[in-house]
Amino acid sequence: MPPVRHLDCDPRSGAGLGPLAILARQDRAGPSSSGCQPDDIRVPGMPELARLRRVGHKGADLIAPGNTFLSFDAALEAGVDMIEFDVLISRDGRDLLLAHDYRDAASRTPPTLEEGLGHLNKEAFAGVEIDVDLKLPGYELRVLEALRSFGMLDRALISSQYRASLAILREAAPDVRLGWSVPRLRRDPFRSRALLLPALLAVWIARMLLPLQAGVAIRRRDCDALMAHWRLVTPRLVRAVRRAGGELYVWTVDDIPRLRRLERLGVTGVITNDPRLFAASA
């Protein structure tokens, strides 16, 4: 394993802790902790950064139920640059739905992809990009065709956790923007006490490996952007993505201190359930 970075800080704040203990402490402390950061938290010598891109998760899921027109409208009112929404194929394979999973789809009558694109193609949303997140593989070309039929490919970023889906999209539409979403999880392991230590170890390993993996994927044009959970974001990852010429969007950030920290690191954009935070953090 790579050597653990030493902490440039007061011994009482955590110097000498192993990597899993550091991660556990950071997770318990939360983003508002005043404890020190690892040496490479600073990103010296970076050029002046562009304004942080404001992305609404499922529209604005903490203001109105996500993946709905009301949520999209709330995100627009909050001044987002991009609206992220989920696309899931119905169990019978007939429709593409705006839903996160089948439990979500069964709890309501979700809009179809075509209905959602029709709403987002209104004049009011003309300056807003969209992040179309594919929840499963197998319907990539149908999504591509829907975006093309609405004339929305040029303002779309299509993201997926599945590299094979990205490869299908790249071959079919070489110029479409693609986002690789990491990690691939069905549920949050940090909510389970039994899974906490394995999850901390997995995060530490991912932080070591992901900068190289992301840089290679972007240079090979497997993707144009990395959509990373905030636990995986490090200054090394920011540098690797930027040097490869890609974008880094971080999900899902619902508090101002973490949002500000990520902005200082130089990420491209932050994805939040409550896009009102962007105005509050200004």
Side-chain angles (χ1 to χ4, degrees), residues 2 4 12 21 24 62 66 98 121 129 146 154 162 164 171 186 198 202 212 240 252:
V4 178
R12 292 170 296 178
L62 281 180
L98 302 194
N121 209 25
E129 293 185 314
D154 60 342
Y162 297 90
E171 182 176 2
R186 292 188 176 181
L212 176 60
T252 305

mmCIF file with all atom_site columns, all heavy atoms in Angstrom, residues 2 4 12 21 24 62 66 98 121 129 146 154 162 164 171 186 198 202 212 240 252:
data_model
loop_
_atom_site.group_PDB
_atom_site.id
_atom_site.type_symbol
_atom_site.label_atom_id
_atom_site.label_alt_id
_atom_site.label_comp_id
_atom_site.label_asym_id
_atom_site.label_entity_id
_atom_site.label_seq_id
_atom_site.pdbx_PDB_ins_code
_atom_site.Cartn_x
_atom_site.Cartn_y
_atom_site.Cartn_z
_atom_site.occupancy
_atom_site.B_iso_or_equiv
_atom_site.pdbx_formal_charge
_atom_site.auth_seq_id
_atom_site.auth_comp_id
_atom_site.auth_asym_id
_atom_site.auth_atom_id
_atom_site.pdbx_PDB_model_num
ATOM 1   N N   . PRO A 1 2   ? 0.399   2.361  -0.590  1.00 0.00 ? 2   PRO A N   1
ATOM 2   C CA  . PRO A 1 2   ? 1.173   3.581  -0.580  1.00 0.00 ? 2   PRO A CA  1
ATOM 3   C C   . PRO A 1 2   ? 1.352   4.069  0.844   1.00 0.00 ? 2   PRO A C   1
ATOM 4   O O   . PRO A 1 2   ? 0.533   3.805  1.729   1.00 0.00 ? 2   PRO A O   1
ATOM 5   C CB  . PRO A 1 2   ? 0.294   4.566  -1.381  1.00 0.00 ? 2   PRO A CB  1
ATOM 6   C CG  . PRO A 1 2   ? -0.648  3.700  -2.136  1.00 0.00 ? 2   PRO A CG  1
ATOM 7   C CD  . PRO A 1 2   ? -0.838  2.479  -1.325  1.00 0.00 ? 2   PRO A CD  1
ATOM 8   N N   . VAL A 1 4   ? 1.250   6.317  4.131   1.00 0.00 ? 4   VAL A N   1
ATOM 9   C CA  . VAL A 1 4   ? 0.241   7.228  4.640   1.00 0.00 ? 4   VAL A CA  1
ATOM 10  C C   . VAL A 1 4   ? 0.852   8.609  4.784   1.00 0.00 ? 4   VAL A C   1
ATOM 11  O O   . VAL A 1 4   ? 1.945   8.763  5.319   1.00 0.00 ? 4   VAL A O   1
ATOM 12  C CB  . VAL A 1 4   ? -0.280  6.744  6.008   1.00 0.00 ? 4   VAL A CB  1
ATOM 13  C CG1 . VAL A 1 4   ? -1.309  7.722  6.558   1.00 0.00 ? 4   VAL A CG1 1
ATOM 14  C CG2 . VAL A 1 4   ? -0.863  5.352  5.892   1.00 0.00 ? 4   VAL A CG2 1
ATOM 15  N N   . ARG A 1 12  ? -2.717  16.818 19.059  1.00 0.00 ? 12  ARG A N   1
ATOM 16  C CA  . ARG A 1 12  ? -4.005  16.545 19.678  1.00 0.00 ? 12  ARG A CA  1
ATOM 17  C C   . ARG A 1 12  ? -5.109  16.408 18.644  1.00 0.00 ? 12  ARG A C   1
ATOM 18  O O   . ARG A 1 12  ? -6.178  15.884 18.927  1.00 0.00 ? 12  ARG A O   1
ATOM 19  C CB  . ARG A 1 12  ? -4.369  17.672 20.656  1.00 0.00 ? 12  ARG A CB  1
ATOM 20  C CG  . ARG A 1 12  ? -3.456  17.715 21.879  1.00 0.00 ? 12  ARG A CG  1
ATOM 21  C CD  . ARG A 1 12  ? -3.696  18.965 22.672  1.00 0.00 ? 12  ARG A CD  1
ATOM 22  N NE  . ARG A 1 12  ? -3.346  20.154 21.887  1.00 0.00 ? 12  ARG A NE  1
ATOM 23  C CZ  . ARG A 1 12  ? -3.492  21.403 22.343  1.00 0.00 ? 12  ARG A CZ  1
ATOM 24  N NH1 . ARG A 1 12  ? -3.985  21.618 23.536  1.00 0.00 ? 12  ARG A NH1 1
ATOM 25  N NH2 . ARG A 1 12  ? -3.152  22.422 21.571  1.00 0.00 ? 12  ARG A NH2 1
ATOM 26  N N   . ALA A 1 21  ? -8.563  5.380  10.762  1.00 0.00 ? 21  ALA A N   1
ATOM 27  C CA  . ALA A 1 21  ? -8.949  6.220  11.892  1.00 0.00 ? 21  ALA A CA  1
ATOM 28  C C   . ALA A 1 21  ? -9.157  7.662  11.456  1.00 0.00 ? 21  ALA A C   1
ATOM 29  O O   . ALA A 1 21  ? -10.052 8.355  11.931  1.00 0.00 ? 21  ALA A O   1
ATOM 30  C CB  . ALA A 1 21  ? -7.880  6.146  12.987  1.00 0.00 ? 21  ALA A CB  1
ATOM 31  N N   . ALA A 1 24  ? -12.466 7.792  9.670   1.00 0.00 ? 24  ALA A N   1
ATOM 32  C CA  . ALA A 1 24  ? -13.549 7.679  10.635  1.00 0.00 ? 24  ALA A CA  1
ATOM 33  C C   . ALA A 1 24  ? -13.732 8.980  11.398  1.00 0.00 ? 24  ALA A C   1
ATOM 34  O O   . ALA A 1 24  ? -14.848 9.439  11.635  1.00 0.00 ? 24  ALA A O   1
ATOM 35  C CB  . ALA A 1 24  ? -13.276 6.530  11.609  1.00 0.00 ? 24  ALA A CB  1
ATOM 36  N N   . LEU A 1 62  ? -34.881 18.238 -1.972  1.00 0.00 ? 62  LEU A N   1
ATOM 37  C CA  . LEU A 1 62  ? -35.243 18.649 -0.619  1.00 0.00 ? 62  LEU A CA  1
ATOM 38  C C   . LEU A 1 62  ? -36.285 19.759 -0.617  1.00 0.00 ? 62  LEU A C   1
ATOM 39  O O   . LEU A 1 62  ? -36.804 20.121 0.449   1.00 0.00 ? 62  LEU A O   1
ATOM 40  C CB  . LEU A 1 62  ? -34.000 19.108 0.161   1.00 0.00 ? 62  LEU A CB  1
ATOM 41  C CG  . LEU A 1 62  ? -33.124 17.995 0.724   1.00 0.00 ? 62  LEU A CG  1
ATOM 42  C CD1 . LEU A 1 62  ? -31.921 18.568 1.468   1.00 0.00 ? 62  LEU A CD1 1
ATOM 43  C CD2 . LEU A 1 62  ? -33.924 17.086 1.659   1.00 0.00 ? 62  LEU A CD2 1
ATOM 44  N N   . GLY A 1 66  ? -38.201 14.555 -5.810  1.00 0.00 ? 66  GLY A N   1
ATOM 45  C CA  . GLY A 1 66  ? -37.255 14.503 -6.915  1.00 0.00 ? 66  GLY A CA  1
ATOM 46  C C   . GLY A 1 66  ? -37.795 13.825 -8.154  1.00 0.00 ? 66  GLY A C   1
ATOM 47  O O   . GLY A 1 66  ? -38.742 13.035 -8.111  1.00 0.00 ? 66  GLY A O   1
ATOM 48  N N   . LEU A 1 98  ? -38.698 8.639  -15.213 1.00 0.00 ? 98  LEU A N   1
ATOM 49  C CA  . LEU A 1 98  ? -37.876 9.478  -14.349 1.00 0.00 ? 98  LEU A CA  1
ATOM 50  C C   . LEU A 1 98  ? -38.053 8.975  -12.923 1.00 0.00 ? 98  LEU A C   1
ATOM 51  O O   . LEU A 1 98  ? -38.959 9.394  -12.196 1.00 0.00 ? 98  LEU A O   1
ATOM 52  C CB  . LEU A 1 98  ? -38.283 10.945 -14.467 1.00 0.00 ? 98  LEU A CB  1
ATOM 53  C CG  . LEU A 1 98  ? -38.231 11.584 -15.857 1.00 0.00 ? 98  LEU A CG  1
ATOM 54  C CD1 . LEU A 1 98  ? -38.334 13.102 -15.752 1.00 0.00 ? 98  LEU A CD1 1
ATOM 55  C CD2 . LEU A 1 98  ? -36.979 11.182 -16.614 1.00 0.00 ? 98  LEU A CD2 1
ATOM 56  N N   . ASN A 1 121 ? -37.442 21.274 -21.985 1.00 0.00 ? 121 ASN A N   1
ATOM 57  C CA  . ASN A 1 121 ? -37.165 21.929 -23.255 1.00 0.00 ? 121 ASN A CA  1
ATOM 58  C C   . ASN A 1 121 ? -37.946 23.234 -23.422 1.00 0.00 ? 121 ASN A C   1
ATOM 59  O O   . ASN A 1 121 ? -37.862 23.872 -24.467 1.00 0.00 ? 121 ASN A O   1
ATOM 60  C CB  . ASN A 1 121 ? -37.488 20.991 -24.423 1.00 0.00 ? 121 ASN A CB  1
ATOM 61  C CG  . ASN A 1 121 ? -36.636 21.271 -25.647 1.00 0.00 ? 121 ASN A CG  1
ATOM 62  O OD1 . ASN A 1 121 ? -35.534 21.799 -25.550 1.00 0.00 ? 121 ASN A OD1 1
ATOM 63  N ND2 . ASN A 1 121 ? -37.133 20.932 -26.819 1.00 0.00 ? 121 ASN A ND2 1
ATOM 64  N N   . GLU A 1 129 ? -28.359 23.250 -18.349 1.00 0.00 ? 129 GLU A N   1
ATOM 65  C CA  . GLU A 1 129 ? -27.934 21.958 -18.882 1.00 0.00 ? 129 GLU A CA  1
ATOM 66  C C   . GLU A 1 129 ? -28.626 20.835 -18.114 1.00 0.00 ? 129 GLU A C   1
ATOM 67  O O   . GLU A 1 129 ? -29.227 21.068 -17.058 1.00 0.00 ? 129 GLU A O   1
ATOM 68  C CB  . GLU A 1 129 ? -26.418 21.821 -18.783 1.00 0.00 ? 129 GLU A CB  1
ATOM 69  C CG  . GLU A 1 129 ? -25.666 22.782 -19.682 1.00 0.00 ? 129 GLU A CG  1
ATOM 70  C CD  . GLU A 1 129 ? -24.176 22.538 -19.638 1.00 0.00 ? 129 GLU A CD  1
ATOM 71  O OE1 . GLU A 1 129 ? -23.629 22.389 -18.527 1.00 0.00 ? 129 GLU A OE1 1
ATOM 72  O OE2 . GLU A 1 129 ? -23.562 22.495 -20.715 1.00 0.00 ? 129 GLU A OE2 1
ATOM 73  N N   . ALA A 1 146 ? -33.952 9.801  -27.706 1.00 0.00 ? 146 ALA A N   1
ATOM 74  C CA  . ALA A 1 146 ? -34.897 10.760 -27.129 1.00 0.00 ? 146 ALA A CA  1
ATOM 75  C C   . ALA A 1 146 ? -34.276 12.145 -27.031 1.00 0.00 ? 146 ALA A C   1
ATOM 76  O O   . ALA A 1 146 ? -34.907 13.152 -27.375 1.00 0.00 ? 146 ALA A O   1
ATOM 77  C CB  . ALA A 1 146 ? -35.356 10.275 -25.753 1.00 0.00 ? 146 ALA A CB  1
ATOM 78  N N   . ASP A 1 154 ? -26.846 18.741 -27.258 1.00 0.00 ? 154 ASP A N   1
ATOM 79  C CA  . ASP A 1 154 ? -25.769 19.697 -27.033 1.00 0.00 ? 154 ASP A CA  1
ATOM 80  C C   . ASP A 1 154 ? -25.766 20.279 -25.627 1.00 0.00 ? 154 ASP A C   1
ATOM 81  O O   . ASP A 1 154 ? -24.766 20.845 -25.192 1.00 0.00 ? 154 ASP A O   1
ATOM 82  C CB  . ASP A 1 154 ? -25.826 20.829 -28.065 1.00 0.00 ? 154 ASP A CB  1
ATOM 83  C CG  . ASP A 1 154 ? -27.142 21.601 -28.016 1.00 0.00 ? 154 ASP A CG  1
ATOM 84  O OD1 . ASP A 1 154 ? -28.112 21.073 -27.445 1.00 0.00 ? 154 ASP A OD1 1
ATOM 85  O OD2 . ASP A 1 154 ? -27.177 22.719 -28.549 1.00 0.00 ? 154 ASP A OD2 1
ATOM 86  N N   . TYR A 1 162 ? -21.977 2.459  -15.040 1.00 0.00 ? 162 TYR A N   1
ATOM 87  C CA  . TYR A 1 162 ? -21.572 1.299  -15.831 1.00 0.00 ? 162 TYR A CA  1
ATOM 88  C C   . TYR A 1 162 ? -20.684 1.736  -17.006 1.00 0.00 ? 162 TYR A C   1
ATOM 89  O O   . TYR A 1 162 ? -21.141 2.432  -17.921 1.00 0.00 ? 162 TYR A O   1
ATOM 90  C CB  . TYR A 1 162 ? -22.800 0.555  -16.348 1.00 0.00 ? 162 TYR A CB  1
ATOM 91  C CG  . TYR A 1 162 ? -23.659 -0.008 -15.243 1.00 0.00 ? 162 TYR A CG  1
ATOM 92  C CD1 . TYR A 1 162 ? -24.701 0.744  -14.692 1.00 0.00 ? 162 TYR A CD1 1
ATOM 93  C CD2 . TYR A 1 162 ? -23.430 -1.278 -14.730 1.00 0.00 ? 162 TYR A CD2 1
ATOM 94  C CE1 . TYR A 1 162 ? -25.492 0.239  -13.673 1.00 0.00 ? 162 TYR A CE1 1
ATOM 95  C CE2 . TYR A 1 162 ? -24.217 -1.791 -13.704 1.00 0.00 ? 162 TYR A CE2 1
ATOM 96  C CZ  . TYR A 1 162 ? -25.238 -1.031 -13.183 1.00 0.00 ? 162 TYR A CZ  1
ATOM 97  O OH  . TYR A 1 162 ? -26.012 -1.540 -12.166 1.00 0.00 ? 162 TYR A OH  1
ATOM 98  N N   . ALA A 1 164 ? -19.606 -0.001 -19.408 1.00 0.00 ? 164 ALA A N   1
ATOM 99  C CA  . ALA A 1 164 ? -20.082 -0.565 -20.672 1.00 0.00 ? 164 ALA A CA  1
ATOM 100 C C   . ALA A 1 164 ? -21.137 0.331  -21.305 1.00 0.00 ? 164 ALA A C   1
ATOM 101 O O   . ALA A 1 164 ? -21.192 0.473  -22.533 1.00 0.00 ? 164 ALA A O   1
ATOM 102 C CB  . ALA A 1 164 ? -20.654 -1.968 -20.442 1.00 0.00 ? 164 ALA A CB  1
ATOM 103 N N   . GLU A 1 171 ? -19.608 5.112  -28.803 1.00 0.00 ? 171 GLU A N   1
ATOM 104 C CA  . GLU A 1 171 ? -19.571 4.594  -30.168 1.00 0.00 ? 171 GLU A CA  1
ATOM 105 C C   . GLU A 1 171 ? -20.723 5.157  -30.999 1.00 0.00 ? 171 GLU A C   1
ATOM 106 O O   . GLU A 1 171 ? -20.555 5.476  -32.179 1.00 0.00 ? 171 GLU A O   1
ATOM 107 C CB  . GLU A 1 171 ? -19.635 3.067  -30.148 1.00 0.00 ? 171 GLU A CB  1
ATOM 108 C CG  . GLU A 1 171 ? -19.557 2.441  -31.534 1.00 0.00 ? 171 GLU A CG  1
ATOM 109 C CD  . GLU A 1 171 ? -19.535 0.927  -31.497 1.00 0.00 ? 171 GLU A CD  1
ATOM 110 O OE1 . GLU A 1 171 ? -19.623 0.355  -30.388 1.00 0.00 ? 171 GLU A OE1 1
ATOM 111 O OE2 . GLU A 1 171 ? -19.444 0.322  -32.582 1.00 0.00 ? 171 GLU A OE2 1
ATOM 112 N N   . ARG A 1 186 ? -25.540 0.245  -4.265  1.00 0.00 ? 186 ARG A N   1
ATOM 113 C CA  . ARG A 1 186 ? -26.999 0.177  -4.206  1.00 0.00 ? 186 ARG A CA  1
ATOM 114 C C   . ARG A 1 186 ? -27.526 0.843  -2.948  1.00 0.00 ? 186 ARG A C   1
ATOM 115 O O   . ARG A 1 186 ? -28.668 1.294  -2.913  1.00 0.00 ? 186 ARG A O   1
ATOM 116 C CB  . ARG A 1 186 ? -27.464 -1.279 -4.261  1.00 0.00 ? 186 ARG A CB  1
ATOM 117 C CG  . ARG A 1 186 ? -27.210 -1.946 -5.606  1.00 0.00 ? 186 ARG A CG  1
ATOM 118 C CD  . ARG A 1 186 ? -27.875 -3.306 -5.663  1.00 0.00 ? 186 ARG A CD  1
ATOM 119 N NE  . ARG A 1 186 ? -27.714 -3.924 -6.974  1.00 0.00 ? 186 ARG A NE  1
ATOM 120 C CZ  . ARG A 1 186 ? -28.218 -5.097 -7.308  1.00 0.00 ? 186 ARG A CZ  1
ATOM 121 N NH1 . ARG A 1 186 ? -28.931 -5.790 -6.420  1.00 0.00 ? 186 ARG A NH1 1
ATOM 122 N NH2 . ARG A 1 186 ? -28.031 -5.593 -8.520  1.00 0.00 ? 186 ARG A NH2 1
ATOM 123 N N   . PRO A 1 198 ? -15.269 -2.080 6.776   1.00 0.00 ? 198 PRO A N   1
ATOM 124 C CA  . PRO A 1 198 ? -15.014 -2.377 5.366   1.00 0.00 ? 198 PRO A CA  1
ATOM 125 C C   . PRO A 1 198 ? -15.244 -1.170 4.466   1.00 0.00 ? 198 PRO A C   1
ATOM 126 O O   . PRO A 1 198 ? -14.512 -0.963 3.497   1.00 0.00 ? 198 PRO A O   1
ATOM 127 C CB  . PRO A 1 198 ? -16.004 -3.503 5.050   1.00 0.00 ? 198 PRO A CB  1
ATOM 128 C CG  . PRO A 1 198 ? -16.296 -4.138 6.358   1.00 0.00 ? 198 PRO A CG  1
ATOM 129 C CD  . PRO A 1 198 ? -16.235 -3.036 7.367   1.00 0.00 ? 198 PRO A CD  1
ATOM 130 N N   . ALA A 1 202 ? -12.543 0.588  2.008   1.00 0.00 ? 202 ALA A N   1
ATOM 131 C CA  . ALA A 1 202 ? -12.829 0.741  0.579   1.00 0.00 ? 202 ALA A CA  1
ATOM 132 C C   . ALA A 1 202 ? -12.652 2.187  0.144   1.00 0.00 ? 202 ALA A C   1
ATOM 133 O O   . ALA A 1 202 ? -12.124 2.465  -0.947  1.00 0.00 ? 202 ALA A O   1
ATOM 134 C CB  . ALA A 1 202 ? -14.248 0.263  0.285   1.00 0.00 ? 202 ALA A CB  1
ATOM 135 N N   . LEU A 1 212 ? -5.610  8.038  -10.675 1.00 0.00 ? 212 LEU A N   1
ATOM 136 C CA  . LEU A 1 212 ? -5.008  7.433  -11.862 1.00 0.00 ? 212 LEU A CA  1
ATOM 137 C C   . LEU A 1 212 ? -6.085  6.888  -12.797 1.00 0.00 ? 212 LEU A C   1
ATOM 138 O O   . LEU A 1 212 ? -6.040  7.105  -14.015 1.00 0.00 ? 212 LEU A O   1
ATOM 139 C CB  . LEU A 1 212 ? -4.051  6.312  -11.457 1.00 0.00 ? 212 LEU A CB  1
ATOM 140 C CG  . LEU A 1 212 ? -3.410  5.524  -12.611 1.00 0.00 ? 212 LEU A CG  1
ATOM 141 C CD1 . LEU A 1 212 ? -2.593  6.453  -13.500 1.00 0.00 ? 212 LEU A CD1 1
ATOM 142 C CD2 . LEU A 1 212 ? -2.553  4.388  -12.072 1.00 0.00 ? 212 LEU A CD2 1
ATOM 143 N N   . ALA A 1 240 ? -5.758  15.374 -10.941 1.00 0.00 ? 240 ALA A N   1
ATOM 144 C CA  . ALA A 1 240 ? -5.725  14.361 -12.001 1.00 0.00 ? 240 ALA A CA  1
ATOM 145 C C   . ALA A 1 240 ? -6.789  14.625 -13.054 1.00 0.00 ? 240 ALA A C   1
ATOM 146 O O   . ALA A 1 240 ? -6.529  14.521 -14.265 1.00 0.00 ? 240 ALA A O   1
ATOM 147 C CB  . ALA A 1 240 ? -5.911  12.969 -11.398 1.00 0.00 ? 240 ALA A CB  1
ATOM 148 N N   . THR A 1 252 ? -23.421 13.697 -3.062  1.00 0.00 ? 252 THR A N   1
ATOM 149 C CA  . THR A 1 252 ? -24.489 14.662 -3.012  1.00 0.00 ? 252 THR A CA  1
ATOM 150 C C   . THR A 1 252 ? -24.212 15.516 -1.788  1.00 0.00 ? 252 THR A C   1
ATOM 151 O O   . THR A 1 252 ? -24.084 14.976 -0.683  1.00 0.00 ? 252 THR A O   1
ATOM 152 C CB  . THR A 1 252 ? -25.862 13.982 -2.907  1.00 0.00 ? 252 THR A CB  1
ATOM 153 O OG1 . THR A 1 252 ? -26.032 13.062 -3.979  1.00 0.00 ? 252 THR A OG1 1
ATOM 154 C CG2 . THR A 1 252 ? -26.997 14.993 -2.902  1.00 0.00 ? 252 THR A CG2 1
#
